[in-house]
Structure formats: C-alpha cells, structure tokens
Amino acid sequence: SSSSSSSSSSSNNDKLGRIFCGRGDRYISVWDTEMEEYVQRLGPHTGWVQDLAYDEHSQILYSIGCNCIEMWDCSGRDTADGSIRHISKLSVENSVSASTLSSDLLRICLVDRQHLSGVRERGKGTAGAKHLLLSAGVDGRIHS
C-alpha cells in the first residue's frame, strides 16, 4: 500500500488519469482511472515500496524502496507507446555519523522551494528545480 504525502504539490496521481500504488511485493502498480484498468508495473525495488511522490511540473514519480529512491519519467516522451520509464536510482548513504540504516527510509515528499528558508541542500542538480525532494527515516532525520 502507499500513502499520500502531506505536501500539496505531491500526490499519487497525474493529469493523465493514472494512479500510482506502492506494493509490498517491491513493485508499483499504475492504474488508468478513465479506462478502469491496470496498465503498467514498475520495479522491482530493493524492498517494499514505502511511499510515492509525484511532481506534476516535471512529470516525475519518486518512490522509496528500502535504501534508495527510484525516479520514473511519466511524460511518455521517450517511449513509443507512452509508457513510464525508469530514469535513475538515488542511493541513500549509510553512515555512522548520520545514523541512517538502509531499511530506515519510510516517507518521501516534494516541497515547493518558495516555502523554504534556511534549508541546506546537498543534492546534485537541484538548483533550478521547482521542488525539493525530501525523504525521512525512522530515526527522525530528514534527507534532501
């Protein structure tokens, strides 16, 4: 099962009428609400799909599965059939100083940058992005 992010810029559905559902079998189900049918399966992840966040601006779906964040292009621009394609996997570092274990990631959200002040960003290539991607673990730490 998946959970919705509390950020208003993030949801588990897109403008094309697709709903994204994280599953315990390490996959994401993609459903077409207009046709009322299952259309695609994304994955596998390294573990259960803990959470999802969708950026309507960039048409990117982010998913957490254990120790990594997966990125999916939902625009359909680079595929002949308009299907969703995997872009990359962002690994979360394990370190003694950060006290973050690979199985600790639980939630993910997108936050509009205009609502942030004084947040230190460590991600590469995020300077021009409209949203900041945040993930959180059971240890209470938030990762950007």
Side-chain angles (χ1 to χ4, degrees):
S1 73
S2 70
S3 64
S4 298
S5 167
S6 61
S7 170
S8 62
S9 64
S10 175
S11 66
N12 291 338
N13 63 316
D14 67 2
K15 293 179 182 179
L16 298 176
R18 295 178 294 196
I19 294 177
F20 310 106
C21 303
R23 300 177 2 188
D25 65 354
R26 304 182 315 143
Y27 288 89
I28 298 169
S29 292
V30 182
W31 295 87
D32 184 315
T33 58
E34 292 177 17
M35 296 171 42
E36 297 181 1
E37 65 183 18
Y38 173 82
V39 293
Q40 194 172 351
R41 181 172 87 156
L42 308 175
H45 285 69
T46 55
W48 286 19
V49 179
Q50 298 287 345
D51 203 8
L52 303 168
Y54 180 72
D55 184 348
E56 291 180 6
H57 178 72
S58 65
Q59 296 182 318
I60 302 292
L61 174 67
Y62 298 92
S63 56
I64 287 183
C66 198
N67 65 341
C68 66
I69 299 171
E70 304 276 357
M71 296 174 60
W72 309 89
D73 180 356
C74 298
S75 70
R77 288 186 290 259
D78 296 329
T79 59
D81 61 357
S83 62
I84 297 169
R85 70 177 182 86
H86 186 260
I87 299 173
S88 68
K89 178 184 286 192
L90 308 171
S91 295
V92 176
E93 294 180 20
N94 297 328
S95 72
V96 175
S97 62
S99 300
T100 301
L101 303 175
S102 63
S103 61
D104 281 344
L105 287 180
L106 294 176
R107 295 290 175 249
I108 190 170
C109 71
L110 292 166
V111 179
D112 193 318
R113 288 178 185 276
Q114 69 181 356
H115 300 297
L116 300 174
S117 64
V119 175
R120 182 174 49 116
E121 297 180 36
R122 292 180 286 171
K124 295 179 182 176
T126 61
K130 180 176 170 67
H131 296 104
L132 177 64
L133 180 67
L134 301 174
S135 62
V138 296
D139 60 1
R141 295 180 185 267
I142 295 177
H143 310 272
S144 62

